[in-house]
């Protein structure tokens, strides 16, 4: 098997299959009724697939606490799963969950970014970046959680998967294959939710189920901004592109079929991703015609 | 007076001896312009690709009479990696490889120096790369002594050793991109 095929197998195909298998086990006998969301084991499924990909792509962390920014993503996988299970059982306390999410995002961003204090970001610049990235991550996470708690069907995981995959390609063309593949792994595991949500169009994804994808993808993007570095505005556009399921909450779409809102959200996301990816790809090709890894 | 001389004489002798020993240990500053740090790694199990680091600094304390008292301190600016392809150099600086924003310096600090033969010493020490410190051993050959055009005493060494990048947490692309990295360091250093 050639190198590229092997990387796709380890980083996308097998993680998606692992996530799907565990998803089916947990959600097989999911109940029916208004407001039912996916089983509390759903985040375990997503993280199991992601951790497999992480292990195969960049290996297990050499130590704890991790030395390297990439290694924090493995730890984050475990932390965000535990957090997601807590979210599932505290669904009624929306404000408390949002506040706790801010603390979690701030603490993780601090741990990951602190090696850059004084070297890359001097003095107040570090606080600006830490605070800005924390708030951006938290805001995006909270919006995704809100969408996942309100929208039935596959639209939320579908759009997240598209954005994670498109963002992965942007990272690939920005000199970071490992973060690109880890973003791709998130796309694969959150994509595994799509067939499940097609099968169970009556239930909500839920903030808990989406937490591993949003937590891990957010940290992949923070790592990309801080350590590659990828321009922050590109990541901001990716984050905004992932909010197109908001269209489904508009009165014009609420009265129509589920499929219309799914199609419109997916098409708008694809257009924004294309507009972002095309110049990145052109710049990459122009500067790297002879470098194929 | 005689008692004072008797009491202090051994200390005077000891201090003079220490002075002689110290004098025989000379400190040299690595000259980055005439120092080459090159490496090679196998690409897709096919051909060796060579690269280099353009910024190598450090000091060598050389005690020819007693090599065990010698020491080596080397710092490499990881951002100075150069492989004659800008895109690849940027990729090598990324978290896939050296992660230079987090780990801008590669460092070697010797822990033991022993003589192998007239022109060779064995240097043991700790290599820190990407935040991971591992012991390495290298046989270092004295390649020459001379004077720079400015009249400064200079000395040259060369060594070649092999490391496994995976042991330093640089595991991206394995096994397609080789794990074993052969490193050659040729140093010219001027006496301080």
């Amino acid at each position: 098997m050639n190198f590229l095929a092997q990387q796709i197998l380890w980083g996308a195909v097998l993680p998606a299959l692992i996530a799907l298998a565990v998803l089916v086990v947990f959600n097989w006998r999911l109940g029916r009724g208004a407001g039912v969301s996916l089983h509390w084991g759903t985040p375990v499924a997503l993280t199991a697939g992601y951790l497999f990909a992480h292990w195969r792509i960049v290996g297990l962390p050499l130590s704890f606490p991790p030395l390297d920014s990439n290694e924090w993503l493995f730890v984050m996988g475990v932390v965000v799963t535990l957090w997601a299970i807590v979210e599932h059982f505290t669904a009624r306390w929306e404000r408390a969950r949002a506040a706790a999410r801010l603390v979690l995002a701030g603490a993780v961003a601090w741990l990951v970014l602190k090696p850059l204090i004084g070297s890359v970001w001097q003095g107040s610049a570090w606080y600006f970046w830490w605070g800005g990235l924390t708030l951006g991550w938290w805001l995006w996470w909270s919006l995704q959680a809100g969408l996942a708690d309100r929208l039935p069907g596959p639209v939320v995981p579908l759009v997240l998967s598209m954005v994670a995959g498109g963002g992965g390609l942007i990272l690939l063309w920005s000199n970071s294959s490992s973060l690109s593949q880890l973003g791709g792994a998130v796309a694969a595991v959150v994509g595994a939710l799509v067939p499940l949500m097609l099968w169970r169009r009556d239930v909500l994804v839920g903030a808990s189920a989406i937490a591993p994808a949003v937590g891990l993808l957010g940290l992949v993007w923070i790592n990309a901004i801080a350590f590659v570095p990828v321009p922050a505005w590109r990541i901001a556009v990716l984050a905004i592109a992932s909010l197109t399921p908001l269209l489904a909450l508009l009165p014009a779409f609420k009265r129509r079929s589920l499929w219309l809102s799914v199609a419109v959200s997916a098409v708008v996301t694809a257009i924004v991703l294309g507009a972002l990816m095309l110049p990145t790809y052109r710049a990459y090709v122009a500067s790297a015609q002879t470098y194929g890894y | 007076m005689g008692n004072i001389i008797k009491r202090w004489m051994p200390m005077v002798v000891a201090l003079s001896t220490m002075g002689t020993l110290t004098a025989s240990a000379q400190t040299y500053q690595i000259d980055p312009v005439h120092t080459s740090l090159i490496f090679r790694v196998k690409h897709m199990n096919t051909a060796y690709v060579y690269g280099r680091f353009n910024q190598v600094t450090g000091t060598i304390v050389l005690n020819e009479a007693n090599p065990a008292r010698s020491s080596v301190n080397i710092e490499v600016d990881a951002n100075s990696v150069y492989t004659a392809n800008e895109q690849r150099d940027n990729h090598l600086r990324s978290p896939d490889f050296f992660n230079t924003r987090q780990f801008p310096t590669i460092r070697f600090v010797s822990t033991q120096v022993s003589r192998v033969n007239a022109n060779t010493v064995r240097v043991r020490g700790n290599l820190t790369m990407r935040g991971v410190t591992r012991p390495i051993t290298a046989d270092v050959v004295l390649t020459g002594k001379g004077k720079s055009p400015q009249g400064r005493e200079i000395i040259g060494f060369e060594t070649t050793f092999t490391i496994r990048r995976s042991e330093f947490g640089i595991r991206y692309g394995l096994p397609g991109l080789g794990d074993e990295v052969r490193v050659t360091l040729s140093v010219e250093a001027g006496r301080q």
Side-chain angles (χ1 to χ4, degrees), chain A residues 3 58 60 62 67-71 115-116 120 175-178 181 226-227 284 287-288 290-291 293, chain B residues 43-44 85 87-88 90-91 94-96 99 101-103 130-132 167-169 171-173 175-176:
Chain A
F3 181 69
V58 293
L60 299 173
L62 291 176
L67 287 169
D68 185 75
S69 55
N70 274 356
E71 290 183 346
L116 304 184
V120 175
N175 298 313
S176 187
S177 306
S178 56
Q181 287 180 263
F227 295 96
Y284 168 77
S287 68
T290 54
Y291 179 50
Y293 291 94
Chain B
H43 182 243
M44 296 300 147
N85 181 300
Q87 195 77 24
R88 180 167 55 202
N90 286 332
H91 191 200
S94 80
D96 288 355
N99 197 357
R101 282 202 132 200
Q102 185 171 353
F103 305 109
R130 206 179 148 120
V132 178
E167 291 180 353
F168 293 89
R171 293 173 290 190
Y172 179 74

Side-chain angles (χ1 to χ4, degrees), chain A residues 6-19 44-61 70-71 73-75 77 177-190 216 220, chain B residues 171-174:
Chain A
Q6 191 183 51
Q7 297 291 308
I8 291 169
L9 180 71
W10 287 345
V13 178
L14 290 177
L17 290 175
I18 290 168
V44 176
L46 268 60
T47 307
Y50 172 82
L51 292 183
F52 173 84
H54 191 111
W55 167 53
R56 295 310 306 176
I57 294 165
V58 293
L60 299 173
N70 274 356
E71 290 183 346
L73 282 159
F74 191 92
V75 177
S177 306
S178 56
L179 285 175
S180 156
Q181 287 180 263
L182 295 175
V186 174
V189 297
V190 77
L216 287 164
V220 165
Chain B
R171 293 173 290 190
Y172 179 74
L174 293 171

Side-chain angles (χ1 to χ4, degrees), chain B residues 12-179:
Chain B
V12 170
V13 170
L15 283 171
S16 323
T17 313
M18 278 175 69
T20 311
L21 285 174
T22 309
S24 66
Q26 289 150 7
T27 302
Y28 291 83
Q29 195 82 35
I30 290 175
D31 173 4
V33 177
H34 298 101
T35 292
S36 302
L37 175 54
I38 62 172
F39 59 87
R40 73 167 207 194
V41 65
K42 211 167 214 182
H43 182 243
M44 296 300 147
N45 213 22
T46 305
Y48 288 110
V49 177
Y50 283 77
R52 57 174 289 153
F53 289 93
N54 288 331
Q55 274 300 316
V56 183
T57 55
T59 53
I60 298 165
V61 176
L62 182 65
N63 189 322
E64 291 189 63
N66 186 359
R69 287 174 176 260
S70 300
S71 64
V72 182
N73 263 286
I74 295 174
E75 283 197 356
V76 179
D77 177 1
N79 276 304
S80 72
V81 67
Y82 177 79
T83 63
N85 181 300
E86 191 184 351
Q87 195 77 24
R88 180 167 55 202
D89 295 345
N90 286 332
H91 191 200
L92 287 170
R93 291 180 190 113
S94 80
D96 288 355
F97 294 97
F98 294 109
N99 197 357
T100 59
R101 282 202 132 200
Q102 185 171 353
F103 305 109
T105 306
I106 299 167
R107 191 170 281 116
F108 175 79
V109 179
S110 68
T111 53
Q112 191 185 4
V113 179
S114 56
R115 192 189 296 279
V116 175
N117 59 43
N119 279 332
T120 307
V121 288
R122 184 157 296 151
V123 179
R124 292 184 168 84
N126 292 318
L127 178 65
T128 303
M129 188 159 62
R130 206 179 148 120
V132 178
T133 301
R134 294 262 183 261
I136 62 164
T137 301
D139 284 352
V140 181
V141 178
L142 174 69
T143 50
K145 282 181 177 179
K147 289 212 169 182
S148 72
Q150 292 77 29
R152 193 182 185 195
E153 274 185 45
I154 53 174
I155 193 162
F157 298 99
E158 188 171 86
T159 182
T160 295
F161 56 92
T162 300
I163 58 170
R164 285 187 178 276
R165 65 186 177 100
S166 59
E167 291 180 353
F168 293 89
I170 305 176
R171 293 173 290 190
Y172 179 74
L174 293 171
L177 305 175
D179 191 14

Side-chain angles (χ1 to χ4, degrees), chain A residues 22 74 135 138 149 185 209 225 254:
Chain A
V22 183
F74 191 92
L135 282 176
W138 170 77
D149 276 340
I225 292 169
K254 263 189 167 175

